Amino acid sequence: MDKLGILRTVVKAIALLVGFVGTILCLMAIVGLATDHTWIRASVALVVAIVLPALISDRLLPEGEDKPKGLVSDVFAVTWMVLLVGIAVGAGRFTRPVLAAEGDRFARDGHGLLASATYLLAGVKASTPPAVAGAEAATSASAATSSAPATLASASAAPSASASASASASATASAAPSAAPPDEPVELSAAELFKKWAPSVVTIQVKSDRGDGGGTGFLLDRKGTIATNHHVIAGAREARVKFMNGATYEEIRILADDANADLALLRVDLEHPKSGDLPSAEPVELGDSEAIQVGERAISIGNPLGLEHTLTTGVVSSRRTYEGKQWIQMSTPISPGNSGGPVFNGRGEVIGIATAVIGIIIAQNLNLAVPINHLEALIKPSYPNEHALGESGASQW
């Protein structure tokens, strides 16, 4: 074999390897818009990556015995490289957040090498491959029911859901925040975001005339102000707030509530937990829901079906008016128990409050969050209608 032949063989081998891996990652990211299930994403991507160049080869191969040597492998190499470059570069404006979300899924599942490769395709810089310990951070399947496909299904916990055994996830990622020029926002991997903000997310368990239930909340300030959905605590006689470190609070006051916006502000005395050590949680950073863009990352931390501190990822699907209200529609999976939990953008800013699922019988990943700007309108210097949980306030529960 002459030198030119050797060079051609080496180049084709590299193209086959890089093209195949890159194509699989890109196709898995696209399938990830519909499902978080790893095996489904991988299977669909593998089938497409094999069948497409095989069909092209079949069309190009001449009939008869004399078939050009190496034509099939040439077609596979060229097809994979075209798909890789087309998805990651040509359509990068649209696929970059989708690829970043796929990297988050790999990081969440502990596949650091695949996560790093996918982040590279997405243009997200990370100093070390991110990793999340514990399978509990995987997405929980929705178990809610709906009487009509077009109705809103609340993402608050079903009456007995809060009594479920907790499966609290912990993140042990050692990756430092990604370095970026001063004028550019820093994108966090899912592992980095979870490590930073999961301690600020709380589990809310309630007792009411309807039975036991609950949802999620998140810390707004060092005074102990917690945001959640109105329907999480509507009609509650008793409630308990639990932080990730195990600190619990049962002396809960209602600062403000807005049934129309489905938002509520609670307050606990952070310095005096009912049980457990003082939480070391930091108040979350609020973003601007008016500035969000379709396709950017949307990351939820919540307690679906009582599985505490579960992280799920997706993208902003739309800014939508539904049933007369403004919502952030997202592909980030949420389930009963996620209600009131924060939805972060890639920079770790809260852009919404996870609230509901649309048409859960016949649809998937049609999830809604209340825009964070609606919550900011509820935050005041003082709350004249503050009252203890279970007491009558100015608003009607």
Side-chain angles (χ1 to χ4, degrees), residues 265-300:
L265 295 178
L266 316 180
R267 179 162 290 171
V268 298
D269 185 353
L270 286 179
E271 299 298 321
H272 299 91
K274 177 75 174 180
S275 62
D277 298 328
L278 293 179
S280 58
E282 293 292 326
V284 299
E285 298 174 2
L286 302 185
D288 181 4
S289 52
E290 289 298 314
I292 64 174
Q293 298 182 17
V294 172
E296 73 172 288
R297 297 161 67 200
I299 305 164
S300 169

Side-chain angles (χ1 to χ4, degrees), residues 3 23 35 76 93 100 146 150 165 193 196 203 234-235 247 297 309 382 384:
K3 293 182 179 179
T23 297
T35 177
F76 272 72
R93 177 182 176 184
S146 173
L193 190 148
K196 182 175 182 179
T203 303
R297 297 161 67 200
H309 292 87
S382 61

Side-chain angles (χ1 to χ4, degrees), residues 196-222:
K196 182 175 182 179
W197 293 123
S200 305
V201 179
V202 302
T203 303
I204 301 175
Q205 297 174 325
V206 303
K207 293 181 180 294
S208 68
D209 294 336
R210 298 173 296 171
D212 296 346
T216 306
F218 52 99
L219 186 66
L220 292 176
D221 57 37
R222 299 185 186 281

